[in-house]
Amino acid sequence: MLLDPYNRRLNYLRISLTDRCNLRCVYCMPEQGVPKLIHEDILTYEELLRLARLSVRLGIEKIRLTGGEPLVRKNIGDLIKVLGEIPGIRDISLTTNGVLLAEQAQALWAAGVKRINISLDTLNPGKYAEITRFNLFDQVWAGIQEAERIGFSPIKVNVVALRGINDNEILAFGRLSQEKPYHVRFIEFMPVGTENGWSTERFLSSDDIFKKLQVIGPLYPVNGQGLDGPAKRMAYDGARGEIGLISPISEHFCPSCNRLRLTAEGRLRVCIFSDDEIDLRTPLRNGASDVELETAIRTAILQKPKEHPIQMNPLPRKCQRQMSKIGG
Ligand code: SAM
Ligand code: SF4
């Protein structure tokens, strides 16, 4: 079991497969993108699998693949298949912007992914183009439909809540959760990266979202399971789907944080908001033994902070890394 100094059991690893992305969401990346890692800097699948195996041996049970955009990395199905065969893995999932989902959903399913998170901050194609800087709403929507047709469950739709941009669509997303078997999850806008446009004016709290959602009708709590993560889950009476509220800013879930993050270049990030990272790639490439790598991971975990310092008052300090390089 992997315990941090505050007795939190770490069993969830988010692996960023690449820093590349085929969108430029305004809250995540500047229009021109961010300096890219060179190919040699990115962990190979072989290296990544070695770290994944060691992490599972230490206590990781759930892996999420993210990015950048994970579906732009080649042969991701092959990686997923091997990851799924690691003894001790209970869950493999993926967070994608959905642009390449329609064409890859079948292969992902065959490789063993059965649940998927798709980021979609608006149901309006024009606004989608404004938020992501690409006119690809229909393609993403087709990907979601295809995932549903194939049988992915749950399909989680991640919505970053942006005051003045998509707050007028909260009810539309609420209705989507009634009509479709989707888990619509509103995520508070986080001040991550130096150029992501975060401001108190843009910030919309989960409380405000919850109040708006109740215009449709009362929401009933849905009980989560062990690996469900920090979303507060609820649903409308008779709805096919659910609503989730994720409140990293207004209500820290640090006391129950079970996560580690591995960046595409092999750095272990023990807290989403902390720029203190531990380089695993150098020892990996310098021939470190399994025991040495395990020791490096355990040492890194000792640095996991008790809680992150981000709150509304005083104003948050931004962390330097762009979200596209952290993986969400
Ligand atoms: N490209 C994939 C995608 O968009 O789903 C995976 C990587 S993305 C960094 C992972 C998640 O982080 C997405 O759901 C995205 O909306 C979310 N995200 C990015 N920047 C954010 C921010 N500043 N605040 C809150 N969520 C953010
Ligand atoms: Fe790309 Fe995802 Fe960031 Fe949007 S949120 S720019 S899709 S990494």
Side-chain angles (χ1 to χ4, degrees):
M1 204 190 281
L2 206 48
L3 286 179
D4 77 1
Y6 306 98
N7 245 3
R8 291 172 296 196
R9 185 176 164 212
L10 309 180
N11 62 356
Y12 178 20
L13 178 65
R14 295 176 70 100
I15 300 178
S16 174
L17 290 185
T18 175
D19 60 332
R20 314 287 203 263
C21 188
N22 44 6
L23 296 180
R24 292 283 179 277
C25 304
V26 289
Y27 53 76
C28 179
M29 272 208 218
E31 188 162 13
Q32 69 280 13
V34 284
K36 287 191 193 119
L37 293 171
I38 57 167
H39 187 68
E40 290 67 36
D41 282 345
I42 295 179
L43 291 186
T44 63
Y45 280 172
E46 203 179 314
E47 291 170 331
L48 212 149
L49 281 164
R50 180 151 177 236
L51 291 180
R53 282 197 189 96
L54 290 175
S55 308
V56 172
R57 211 157 78 188
L58 289 173
I60 294 296
E61 300 174 302
K62 169 175 168 173
I63 288 182
R64 173 171 298 279
L65 301 177
T66 171
E69 172 49 36
L71 298 188
V72 301
R73 183 128 184 211
K74 288 205 186 90
N75 305 325
I76 178 179
D78 296 346
L79 172 75
I80 292 169
K81 243 177 134 199
V82 187
L83 278 174
E85 284 161 6
I86 300 176
I89 283 279
R90 286 173 55 198
D91 187 60
I92 295 187
S93 50
L94 182 85
T95 298
T96 171
N97 60 29
V99 168
L100 300 174
L101 187 57
E103 60 189 75
Q104 293 193 26
Q106 193 67 62
L108 291 170
W109 178 266
V113 183
K114 303 294 173 215
R115 39 199 251 115
I116 198 156
N117 290 17
I118 301 149
S119 305
L120 184 69
D121 308 310
T122 171
L123 298 170
N124 174 318
K127 202 183 288 175
Y128 182 88
E130 278 170 37
I131 295 177
T132 66
R133 303 187 174 107
F134 282 83
N135 196 4
L136 291 171
F137 176 86
D138 291 346
Q139 203 167 310
V140 175
W141 188 251
I144 297 176
Q145 301 303 294
E146 179 64 359
E148 184 184 346
R149 190 193 66 73
I150 291 172
F152 284 85
S153 178
I155 291 173
K156 296 185 182 173
V157 176
N158 285 351
V159 183
V160 178
L162 304 161
R163 189 184 289 280
I165 297 183
N166 63 1
D167 47 349
N168 58 350
E169 292 191 67
I170 290 172
L171 296 184
F173 275 112
R175 286 190 200 97
L176 184 70
S177 83
Q178 291 178 306
E179 289 156 18
K180 290 282 201 176
Y182 305 158
H183 294 194
V184 174
R185 293 145 32 104
F186 294 96
I187 305 171
E188 284 177 349
F189 185 16
M190 292 182 252
V192 172
T194 45
E195 286 181 65
N196 83 335
W198 195 95
S199 68
T200 38
E201 291 72 37
R202 277 275 171 265
F203 179 78
L204 184 63
S205 73
S206 290
D207 254 7
D208 288 343
I209 298 168
F210 181 61
K211 280 182 200 133
K212 282 208 178 176
L213 284 167
Q214 283 176 311
V215 170
I216 295 178
L219 280 157
Y220 300 97
V222 173
N223 287 333
Q225 292 152 9
L227 290 171
D228 268 346
K232 262 197 196 136
R233 295 170 54 187
M234 54 199 83
Y236 293 110
D237 194 22
R240 296 181 68 201
E242 287 184 15
I243 297 286
L245 296 175
I246 303 181
S247 323
I249 309 295
S250 67
E251 200 184 328
H252 293 192
F253 36 79
C254 306
S256 60
C257 181
N258 62 349
R259 302 168 174 213
L260 290 174
R261 293 176 167 82
L262 183 65
T263 68
E265 74 268 52
R267 301 176 76 88
L268 200 62
R269 197 171 166 106
V270 290
C271 171
I272 189 171
F273 289 109
S274 165
D275 287 325
D276 296 331
E277 297 173 348
I278 296 85
D279 173 24
L280 295 179
R281 190 188 64 198
T282 304
L284 188 67
R285 291 190 178 169
N286 286 345
S289 66
D290 284 359
V291 172
E292 284 166 335
L293 286 170
E294 282 185 12
T295 306
I297 296 172
R298 285 196 186 279
T299 310
I301 283 158
L302 295 178
Q303 294 178 34
K304 191 167 165 74
K306 187 173 177 202
E307 56 191 4
H308 70 70
I310 309 275
Q311 54 189 12
M312 291 303 290
N313 193 10
L315 276 182
R317 174 184 69 90
K318 293 188 180 200
C319 54
Q320 297 299 306
R321 221 183 227 279
Q322 298 295 134
M323 193 66 115
S324 60
K325 295 202 169 188
I326 299 174

